[in-house]
Amino acid sequence: MLPSWIERTVSAPRFAPYLGMFRGDGAAAWELYRWNIQVSAAFYGPLHWLEISLRNAEHDQLRAHYRRADWWQVAPLRPSQRRRIDKAMDDLRDKGDHDPSADAVVAELSFGFWVSLLNRTYDRHLWVPALHRSFPCYSGSRETLRDSLQAMVFLRNRIMHHEPIHHRHLAADHTKICRLLGYLEPEVARWLRIHDEVSFVLAQRPGRTAGKGDPAAAG
């Protein structure tokens, strides 16, 4: 019997899918729920490095190309991206920063914003003259790169909104993050493979033995 506080705190509808996976076995469902939190926490670090590396690499190239730190003032951005920048500046002002610096705006913009700059609509004005240099170790298509990064935005958003990720091929997600980091900065990718905890936590998945039918343990 699980403590009653679990149902009150987690909520029955949220916990129901976990129970459904184990035919109502509350203890097994609870172990998976706890592990989902642990593996989400383990992914925070790799996603942090990917997002920070991407935004700084793109910002550096666009700043150099347009010869100004607030390059968004002159870049041919679409209305959707301009709205995101306006919102970032409004949010900074709401926090008391009445004259946001370019660095503050860059830090306020979301992972999704930086990935959106790799959309096809920016091929001519951003990708060809500047943004391709953000990925010195990449030689594939812009579209493939953008799709891979967008998948990581989706994973990041699920984690930050406390959603289940246990059903994903998490070892493949981890490999993809390291590969994308390698396109940006190989040294970071090598360091991450040694120091992050994702592989260790994947091996601790409850109810299954790593490498024996667990899609999260496949690589």
Side-chain angles (χ1 to χ4, degrees), residues 14-181:
R14 183 178 180 85
F15 198 52
Y18 290 87
L19 285 170
M21 291 181 63
F22 296 99
R23 300 181 181 180
D25 184 336
W30 177 236
E31 286 299 307
L32 182 60
Y33 188 92
R34 290 173 56 201
W35 182 82
N36 190 83
I37 297 172
Q38 292 171 340
V39 77
S40 295
F43 267 96
Y44 178 87
L47 287 168
H48 165 93
W49 286 112
L50 180 59
E51 180 174 348
I52 295 297
S53 298
L54 176 68
R55 83 182 187 198
N56 288 335
E58 290 191 353
H59 174 56
D60 286 347
Q61 292 302 326
L62 291 169
R63 177 175 54 192
H65 179 67
Y66 288 104
R67 299 182 181 180
R68 54 188 295 173
D70 58 345
W71 50 264
W72 49 85
Q73 299 290 358
V74 294
L77 300 180
R78 295 179 64 85
S80 57
Q81 277 74 40
R82 292 211 171 276
R83 285 193 294 270
R84 294 189 192 189
I85 290 171
D86 289 342
K87 183 179 186 305
M89 296 184 74
D90 287 343
D91 288 346
L92 288 167
R93 293 187 184 106
D94 288 343
K95 296 173 185 177
D97 187 352
H98 300 297
D99 186 20
S101 66
D103 286 341
V105 174
V106 167
E108 191 72 15
L109 290 165
S110 70
F111 191 8
F113 171 85
W114 299 104
V115 175
S116 75
L117 297 183
L118 303 176
N119 288 348
R120 181 175 58 184
T121 189
Y122 294 125
D123 265 356
R124 179 181 175 185
H125 296 291
L126 299 185
W127 175 254
V128 172
L131 287 184
H132 75 278
R133 297 189 182 92
S134 303
F135 307 90
C137 298
Y138 181 69
S139 59
S141 72
R142 175 208 50 77
E143 184 175 8
T144 298
L145 178 64
R146 185 264 177 196
D147 289 348
S148 293
L149 285 163
Q150 187 59 46
M152 296 302 96
V153 171
F154 180 79
L155 174 61
R156 180 261 183 211
N157 289 345
R158 289 197 67 83
I159 289 172
M160 295 306 174
H161 289 91
H162 317 301
E163 296 296 330
I165 63 168
H166 59 79
H167 58 286
R168 294 178 59 97
H169 194 330
L170 293 172
D173 286 329
H174 185 228
T175 297
K176 181 176 289 186
I177 292 171
C178 292
R179 184 171 68 248
L180 290 166
L181 267 172

